[in-house]
């Protein structure tokens, strides 16, 4: 009996250690020994690409939103570039649908531009509804399943002028917009994303101040993050209770950008990266996992991250909020994953010697996608990789990026994670926010020419769909 238990114990220890010896457990994998063709995907897997209406249609097509106003001011966008018509998705969506087909994809994630639908409070634009209905019909006719995002960083300028998500009482305007859209389009769309990347919206708009409203005030940012998460919960509950709500799949899109110390044991690096990761990633995730929101804003940190422009008398302030129902307010989780940031106290962003750097610039880190998927599996809902892609003007790293990140997804599925789709960011080169037009993320150019590197995705889909 004793020997039998010992044997079982040894077997158990062996399993644990051999599991951890597997490359999947390690922070970094040895890509020289990995065969990225060794992948498997379920038959009904969603292979898609993702865009955002404003990024792909530009200020000319969407003139009344916060970004259209923001980009006019000097110094906000790299080299003061303008989005213009961007790649004119608004008028050329038929070309884009053809492109999606040519690439072999079966799904398309795009955002509905609130400022087009509701140009003024209480005013609904029939033409905009008609436009989106036609676009959805064309997608479905082409056999492409749509996934709709309701807030992707932009909203009407009138909403921004009222204080946007800084004010709790404004949440109801967003909920009303979502309800209106859902009532009109629910029979054409199965998958709905409420809000894209609340953490990034706050970090860029309220900590770094490089997105509108351009504030550097994490105390206010913590309120905004709380309100965005509350808005998600309110939208979820409302849509679920409406006609078509029960069959609709409604989720939120989380960007899992972790900041890590370059020198593991350096106290300054650990403290600063812990703080930034909390704002960008952890605070929102913790709320989704536990229903508890806690965010300590430290103005001193804002100073280090780019200069304090909004005076605040508080030395640090903690915002707490709790909603025990929050962990039940998503049918799936959308994961946007690109990379991690290694931070060194003397060099800022730092890279490992073998890192392949994208144009943004951050390192290729597919291992991080695997680790994040396994972490998000604790949410116990299906996971969709709602964004992953590379800015690569020379198109000399895109193929490797696609093959390695898709491999990481396949490994996660093999290890039991419930991943249902992968959406490459993005379809055509578009307007990359404060980076302007310089970043080339597209599977195709703005003239709809498919890049060689994108062939990797098409080949994978043909072999595995
Ligand atoms: C955003 C996109 C952006 C992409 C690439 C994501 O954080 O959702 O709008 O273009 O990253 O930087």
């Amino acid at each position: 009996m004793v020997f039998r238990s010992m044997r079982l114990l040894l077997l158990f220890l062996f399993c644990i250690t051999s599991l951890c010896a597997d490359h999947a457990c390690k922070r970094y994998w040895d890509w020289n020994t990995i065969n990225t063709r060794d992948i498997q995907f379920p038959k009904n897997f969603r292979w898609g690409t993702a865009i955002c209406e404003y990024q792909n249609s530009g200020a000319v097509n969407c003139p009344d939103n916060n970004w259209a106003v923001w980009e006019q001011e000097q110094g906000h966008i790299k080299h003061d570039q303008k989005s213009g018509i961007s790649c004119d998705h608004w008028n050329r969506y038929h070309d884009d649908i053809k492109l999606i087909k040519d690439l072999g994809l079966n799904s398309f994630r795009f955002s509905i531009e609130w400022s087009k639908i509701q140009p003024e409070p209480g005013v609904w634009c029939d033409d905009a509804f008609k436009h989106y209905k036609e676009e959805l019909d064309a997608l479905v006719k082409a056999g492409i399943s749509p996934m709709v995002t309701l807030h992707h960083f932009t909203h009407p300028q009138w909403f921004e002028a009222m204080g946007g998500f800084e004010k709790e009482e404004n949440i109801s305007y967003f909920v009303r917009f979502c309800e209106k859209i859902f009532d009109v389009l629910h029979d054409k769309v199965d998958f709905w994303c409420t809000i894209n990347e609340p953490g990034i919206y706050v970090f860029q708009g309220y900590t770094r101040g490089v997105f509108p409203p351009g504030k550097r005030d994490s105390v206010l940012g913590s309120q905004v993050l709380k309100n965005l998460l509350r808005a998600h919960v309110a939208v979820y509950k409302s849509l679920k209770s409406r006609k078509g709500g029960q069959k609709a799949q409604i989720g939120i899109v989380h960007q899992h950008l972790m900041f890590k110390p370059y020198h593991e044991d350096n106290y300054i690096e650990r403290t600063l990266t812990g703080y930034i990761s909390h704002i960008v990633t952890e605070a929102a995730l913790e709320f989704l996992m536990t229903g508890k929101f806690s965010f300590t804003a430290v103005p001193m940190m804002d100073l280090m991250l780019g200069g304090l422009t909004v005076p605040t008398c508080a030395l640090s302030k903690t915002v707490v909020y709790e909603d025990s129902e929050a962990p039940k307010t998503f049918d799936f989780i959308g994961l946007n994953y690109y990379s991690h940031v290694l931070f060194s106290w003397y060099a800022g962003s730092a890279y490992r010697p073998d890192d392949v750097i994208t144009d943004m610039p951050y390192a290729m880190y597919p291992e991080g996608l695997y680790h994040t998927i396994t972490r998000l599996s604790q949410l116990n809902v299906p996971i969709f990789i709602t964004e992953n892609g590379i800015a690569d003007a020379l198109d000399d790293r895109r193929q490797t990026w696609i093959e390695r990140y898709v491999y990481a997804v396949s490994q996660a599925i093999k290890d039991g994670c419930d991943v249902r789709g992968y959406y490459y960011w993005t379809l055509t080169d578009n307007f990359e926010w404060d980076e302007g037009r310089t970043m080339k993320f597209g599977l195709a150019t703005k003239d709809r020419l498919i890049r060689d590197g994108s062939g990797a995705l098409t080949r994978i889909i043909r072999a595995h769909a």
Side-chain angles (χ1 to χ4, degrees):
M1 182 65 187
V2 175
F3 281 111
R4 197 160 161 257
S5 317
M6 287 275 286
R7 271 213 314 273
L8 278 174
L9 181 67
L10 282 173
L11 185 66
F12 174 69
L13 288 174
F14 172 74
C15 290
I16 294 283
T17 44
S18 48
L19 265 181
C20 288
D22 179 43
H23 70 259
C25 280
K26 292 192 189 137
R27 189 162 163 199
Y28 299 106
W29 300 348
D30 178 3
W31 289 99
N32 295 320
T33 61
I34 290 174
N35 175 9
T36 52
R37 290 181 182 197
D38 183 13
I39 51 177
Q40 272 188 334
F41 287 90
K43 276 270 170 288
N44 54 357
F45 197 75
R46 285 178 171 236
W47 295 100
T49 183
I51 70 154
C52 152
E53 184 74 85
Y54 185 76
Q55 286 181 274
N56 285 52
S57 297
V60 169
N61 287 307
C62 314
D64 302 318
N65 77 20
N66 54 335
W67 265 90
V69 174
W70 174 257
E71 65 164 273
Q72 297 313 315
E73 281 175 44
Q74 253 196 332
H76 284 168
I77 314 295
K78 198 187 239 175
H79 310 313
D80 283 326
Q81 296 168 73
K82 303 276 180 271
S83 61
I85 57 169
S86 190
C87 26
D88 207 15
H89 173 75
W90 184 263
N91 295 305
R92 294 189 61 183
Y93 68 80
H94 283 292
D95 294 340
D96 287 342
I97 291 173
K98 179 174 178 313
L99 196 56
I100 295 168
K101 287 295 282 178
D102 291 347
L103 285 158
L105 304 166
N106 60 24
S107 188
F108 184 46
R109 173 179 172 232
F110 68 102
S111 63
I112 290 195
E113 176 54 44
W114 180 2
S115 61
K116 300 290 280 185
I117 294 286
Q118 196 179 9
E120 285 170 45
V123 176
W124 303 98
C125 175
D126 289 342
D127 284 351
F129 279 109
K130 186 166 166 280
H131 172 96
Y132 283 117
K133 273 189 201 162
E134 285 172 2
E135 181 168 352
L136 285 164
D137 285 342
L139 281 164
V140 173
K141 195 167 164 221
I144 299 163
S145 153
M147 178 183 263
V148 162
T149 307
L150 293 161
H151 189 276
H152 194 132
F153 297 163
T154 65
H155 44 236
Q157 180 57 26
W158 59 258
F159 182 73
E160 183 84 344
M162 291 168 54
F165 289 102
E166 289 169 17
K167 296 192 180 142
E168 193 185 315
E169 62 269 28
N170 291 350
I171 293 175
S172 58
Y173 288 89
F174 178 60
V175 177
R176 187 70 203 106
F177 155 70
C178 297
E179 290 170 344
K180 190 85 179 171
I181 287 288
F182 190 78
D183 288 348
V184 177
L185 302 178
H186 70 83
D187 56 344
K188 299 182 191 293
V189 182
D190 296 332
F191 285 85
W192 299 84
C193 305
T194 55
I195 298 175
N196 184 69
E197 303 182 348
I200 296 285
Y201 177 88
V202 168
F203 185 58
Q204 300 287 59
Y206 291 88
T207 304
R208 295 186 63 220
V210 296
F211 281 17
K215 298 182 180 173
R216 289 187 187 133
D217 180 355
S218 292
V219 175
L220 183 58
S222 59
Q223 292 290 347
V224 175
L225 186 56
K226 183 184 80 177
N227 289 338
L228 284 166
L229 294 167
R230 293 183 71 167
H232 158 76
V233 171
V235 170
Y236 180 88
K237 286 185 177 167
S238 170
L239 301 193
K240 278 289 172 186
S241 68
R242 304 180 89 76
K243 185 165 175 243
Q246 282 315 308
K247 84 170 202 334
Q249 296 298 297
I250 305 171
I252 185 168
V253 173
H254 168 74
Q255 151 90 271
H256 202 83
L257 178 59
M258 292 299 283
F259 291 75
K260 299 270 183 193
Y262 187 71
H263 308 95
E264 284 287 342
D265 45 8
N266 183 291
Y267 178 75
I268 299 176
E269 292 177 11
R270 280 213 321 265
T271 310
L272 194 60
T273 53
Y275 176 70
I276 307 174
S277 295
H278 189 76
I279 302 176
V280 181
T281 308
E282 295 292 341
L285 187 56
E286 191 183 324
F287 179 70
L288 299 174
M289 282 183 164
T290 65
K292 293 192 173 101
F293 178 81
S294 168
F295 188 115
T296 301
V298 187
M300 190 57 202
M301 291 290 193
D302 301 345
L303 196 65
M304 293 174 74
L305 289 166
L308 195 67
T309 51
V310 178
T312 162
C313 48
L315 271 181
S316 75
K317 193 172 172 197
T318 304
V319 171
V320 285
Y321 172 71
E322 196 166 340
D323 177 352
S324 58
E325 291 184 7
K328 294 181 220 112
T329 59
F330 41 93
D331 304 317
F332 68 91
I333 185 86
L335 168 62
N336 291 357
Y337 190 91
Y338 291 84
S339 184
H340 62 181
V341 179
L342 295 180
F343 175 79
S344 139
W345 65 273
Y346 54 84
S349 296
Y351 306 109
R352 297 164 62 239
D354 294 337
D355 274 343
V356 179
I357 314 296
T358 81
D359 296 348
M360 275 300 271
Y362 38 66
M364 211 180 270
Y365 184 50
E367 297 91 322
L369 178 55
Y370 171 89
H371 297 308
T372 305
I373 293 171
T374 53
R375 179 145 179 236
L376 260 54
S377 289
Q378 292 169 33
L379 290 166
N380 287 320
V381 290
I383 299 169
F384 288 84
I385 311 306
T386 34
E387 279 181 40
N388 172 257
I390 179 172
D392 175 16
L394 297 175
D395 196 35
D396 57 0
R397 290 145 290 169
R398 187 167 280 102
Q399 176 177 340
T400 310
W401 175 286
I402 292 171
E403 288 171 351
R404 291 187 180 177
Y405 278 82
V406 168
Y407 174 84
V409 176
S410 168
Q411 282 296 306
I413 295 174
K414 190 170 148 202
D415 291 345
C417 299
D418 186 6
V419 188
R420 306 265 177 104
Y422 172 90
Y423 292 74
Y424 179 91
W425 182 270
T426 184
L427 179 61
T428 49
D429 296 337
N430 60 12
F431 179 71
E432 178 53 31
W433 309 116
D434 56 319
E435 294 286 338
R437 305 296 304 270
T438 39
M439 293 300 156
K440 310 294 181 200
F441 276 94
L443 288 167
T445 65
K446 94 176 187 2
D447 298 322
R448 275 76 180 168
L449 295 174
I450 295 177
R451 291 203 162 90
D452 287 348
S454 315
L457 187 58
T458 309
R459 282 192 293 278
I460 290 169
I461 298 168
R462 295 225 164 104
H464 296 278

